[in-house]
Amino acid sequence: MQWQWESEARDILGQADEPAPAPPGIVVEPSHCPACGHRLAFWENLPLLSFLLLRGRCRACGKPISLQYPLVELLTGLLFACVVWRFGAGPQALAALAFTGVLIAAAGIDLRTTLLPDSLTLPLLWLGLLLSLDTVFVSPQQAILGAALGYLSLWSVYWGFRLLTGKEGMGHGDFKLLAALGAWCGAGSLVSIILLSSICGAVIGSLWLALRGRDRATPIPFGPYLAVAGWLELVFRIDLPGLYLRWLGG
């Protein structure tokens, strides 16, 4: 995304300098070592197992392999197993696996770059709306309302905060991600998703700032917390408002 923005800005400004090399692809191009470019054989690309067989180092150059790879692979495997356990074999499980994979990628990218790519959030939104036609998770009415209200809720918070403070409180990608979660989980789940993501963001974000020695003015990506809350809502249907009301009623 950054490379694309820089290329577009260079064209608009009419700059004739040579553009930076395009970043490597992650779908078409074969997997390779980021340090030396060594293309991985199939047995070097097996989730978790290859990391252990290679003892955490590239076979060609010996550079350490980032722990990001086995940790993401482990997380993906655990969440996929949880999805299959929850939904069994069928359309819901297949759709939920795709939902899980996109959320893991989006959360990881946002955590590292504070960017949520449209190439992930928008297809997730459209897929949720299409699945509602057969009521795989929610009805078309709930999906459409969920997408619209999900986008508008954070859009309103963004503009309210900006008008009051003159600052941007969150990125536009967060609007799109919550719209996608609304399309999958329905309008009735938005309150739970927003509450749960806010609680996670407040607790985990505060701990992260404290451990890093940062002040509260440091921007924290909100996408990962939305992803956690959306996944929990789709898989386990956590009705936070209902739980709170039942707790008040004893």
Side-chain angles (χ1 to χ4, degrees):
M1 290 172 67
Q2 188 69 39
W3 178 84
Q4 184 178 8
W5 292 336
E6 291 176 358
S7 299
E8 291 172 353
R10 189 177 290 107
D11 290 339
I12 293 171
L13 296 173
Q15 295 180 353
D17 53 320
E18 285 293 322
I26 59 173
V27 178
V28 178
E29 295 182 22
S31 299
H32 59 274
C33 172
C36 69
H38 164 68
R39 289 193 175 185
L40 306 184
F42 80 93
W43 66 269
E44 295 176 281
N45 210 22
L46 302 174
L48 290 177
L49 183 59
S50 292
F51 183 84
L52 297 175
L53 290 173
L54 295 169
R55 298 181 180 179
R57 293 185 175 275
C58 172
R59 181 167 62 95
C61 67
K63 293 289 181 66
I65 299 172
S66 172
L67 283 175
Q68 166 190 314
Y69 296 102
L71 290 178
V72 170
E73 291 164 357
L74 177 61
L75 175 65
T76 303
L78 291 174
L79 295 186
F80 275 22
C82 188
V83 164
V84 174
W85 167 78
R86 173 67 177 82
F87 295 111
Q92 279 192 323
L94 187 61
L97 290 176
F99 178 80
T100 302
V102 172
L103 287 186
I104 290 173
I109 291 171
D110 195 24
L111 198 61
R112 292 189 61 178
T113 67
T114 67
L115 297 172
L116 280 170
D118 286 351
S119 56
L120 293 177
T121 56
L122 296 185
L124 189 67
L125 167 62
W126 288 112
L127 181 56
L129 292 174
L130 289 173
L131 289 171
S132 74
L133 295 176
D134 199 32
T135 318
V136 175
F137 294 105
V138 295
S139 67
Q141 182 181 24
Q142 277 291 309
I144 294 169
L145 284 174
L149 294 176
Y151 187 92
L152 289 173
S153 59
L154 291 189
W155 179 87
S156 301
V157 171
Y158 167 87
W159 279 107
F161 185 83
R162 186 169 183 177
L163 289 173
L164 289 173
T165 66
K167 301 176 181 178
E168 296 186 358
M170 63 179 61
H172 292 205
D174 296 323
F175 315 162
K176 300 168 190 175
L177 179 56
L178 186 56
L181 298 178
W184 281 75
C185 302
S189 298
L190 288 175
V191 174
S192 289
I193 292 174
I194 292 173
L195 285 175
L196 187 56
S197 60
S198 299
I199 293 170
C200 290
V203 175
I204 300 174
S206 298
L207 290 173
W208 182 83
L209 290 175
L211 291 173
R212 292 293 186 93
R214 308 283 180 85
D215 58 43
R216 293 186 178 274
T218 303
I220 299 175
F222 191 47
Y225 308 117
L226 283 174
V228 170
W231 187 85
L232 289 173
E233 182 63 27
L234 184 79
V235 176
F236 296 108
R237 292 297 177 184
I238 301 174
D239 181 15
L240 282 186
L243 290 174
Y244 180 67
L245 291 174
R246 286 194 290 274
W247 177 74
L248 285 180

